[in-house]
Structure formats: C-alpha cells, structure tokens
Amino acid sequence: MSFEILALFPEIIPTDRLILRPIRKDDENDIFEYASKPEVARYMSWSAHQTIEDTRAFLRFLDEVEGKKLQIDRGIILKEKNKLIGTIAFVTVDFTLKMAELGYCLSPDYWGQGYIVESANAMITAAAETMDIHRVEAQCETDNFKSERVMQKLGMQQEGVYRRRLPVHGSFLDAKIYAKILK
C-alpha cells in the first residue's frame, strides 16, 4: 500500500522561485559545490564531501532509498539560474501514523533567503493532498538555530528534546523535535 501512496506524490513541484524535482546524476557538480563546505556538513550525519566520488556515493544512496520507496527526495532548483541549490526530503514516511519527517540541506550561498521555507511548504502541501499525511515533523541539533527558525516559520511547534538522538560525525547529539499538525 505504501508504494502506491508514495507514487501519488508529485514528481515536480513548482513554486514562485523554485522547482522541486527528482535528484539526477547530472546534479553531482552542484551538490558537490555545497556539500564540500564544512559549514553545510556541520549539523549533518555526513562529513563534508572531499571528492566528487563522495557526492556520487550520496547519489547512489539516494537511488537505493528512492528505489525501495523509503523516502522522497527532491532537488531544489533555483528557477532564475536553473541551478540545484539544495535538497529537501521526507526522510521517513509512516503511513500507519500518517506522518512524515522533513529534512533539508541548502547551499550557504542561498541561506537566509526563504528558499527552504518555500520548498518545505510546497512539500508539506503536496504530502497533505496526495498521501493523506496529517503530521509533519522535523528535528535539529539543539544549537542549530537557523534550522530551528525554519521550523518555526513553517508553523511547527517544539514538542521536546530527544536526548542523544542525532548521529552527527560519530556522536549522538541532542535534538529539538518540532511538529505541525496538518488536519
């Protein structure tokens, strides 16, 4: 059943400034450009990409999880430049609980311009309309104030702190959990 429901999620989602679309192999240079920056990897479970092969390994991982219908990933394409500037995903989808967990990553060249909020709102709307999701949640390390601000701008409310929840660079760190009830 979950495969059929995931198949209903739109492949392409346009917004005012962005296009959300599946991530492709030819996106590797754009992804490497920002994934190789230490400030991007700081709060991620992965280390900054050292070589293009690290990015290719990431793309193979995405192909695998997408193929198994374990998550929904989209590239964030800036319309005015036709350039991939980040990724956004439902990293988990639970159809029994009718919830999805949102994750995102953006090039620091585009931080503070509302692109994640714009793309997240589009993803959340599509999930509510096509997958009967009633709850979206996201989490961030306790000192990742920029990500926390994104969640607040999405209308999410903090529900608590998970102790030692996030795997970040070989350690498990505390995470603030935010959620939004859709219906």
Side-chain angles (χ1 to χ4, degrees), residues 6 19-20 35-36 48 54 59 64 66 68 79 85 103 120 122 124-125 130-131 141 144 149 151 163 167 175 177 183:
L6 283 176
I19 297 171
L20 308 180
S36 62
D54 294 335
L59 291 170
E64 182 180 327
E66 284 272 332
K68 292 179 181 177
K79 283 181 182 178
I85 61 171
I124 291 167
T125 298
T130 63
M131 298 191 313
E141 194 174 315
N144 188 346
R149 186 68 187 127
M151 291 181 264
R163 293 185 45 216
I177 181 77
K183 50 184 168 178

Side-chain angles (χ1 to χ4, degrees), residues 155-181:
M156 294 180 161
Q157 294 179 332
Q158 185 177 348
E159 294 186 337
V161 175
Y162 287 146
R163 293 185 45 216
R164 301 255 173 118
R165 167 79 172 183
L166 290 176
V168 177
H169 308 293
S171 298
F172 284 90
L173 303 175
D174 295 348
K176 292 181 181 177
I177 181 77
Y178 276 75
K180 179 177 184 174
I181 305 302

Side-chain angles (χ1 to χ4, degrees), residues 67-155:
K68 292 179 181 177
K69 304 294 184 203
L70 299 174
Q71 64 186 50
I72 299 171
D73 295 278
R74 293 293 182 263
I76 302 170
I77 310 303
L78 184 59
K79 283 181 182 178
E80 71 179 36
K81 294 184 178 183
N82 193 30
K83 179 180 181 61
L84 186 141
I85 61 171
T87 58
I88 189 159
F90 288 122
V91 294
T92 57
V93 179
D94 185 322
F95 291 105
T96 303
L97 298 176
K98 297 185 177 199
M99 62 155 288
E101 180 184 353
L102 184 69
Y104 41 83
C105 183
L106 188 70
S107 168
D109 297 340
Y110 301 95
W111 287 357
Q113 297 176 51
Y115 294 124
I116 291 296
V117 172
E118 184 174 330
S119 56
N121 275 322
M123 291 281 286
I124 291 167
T125 298
E129 291 174 353
T130 63
M131 298 191 313
D132 195 29
I133 296 296
H134 87 98
R135 174 187 168 89
V136 175
E137 52 184 52
Q139 57 185 325
C140 68
E141 194 174 315
T142 55
D143 67 346
N144 188 346
F145 303 112
K146 290 179 181 180
S147 186
E148 183 176 20
R149 186 68 187 127
V150 165
M151 291 181 264
Q152 292 167 346
K153 287 182 178 182
L154 291 170

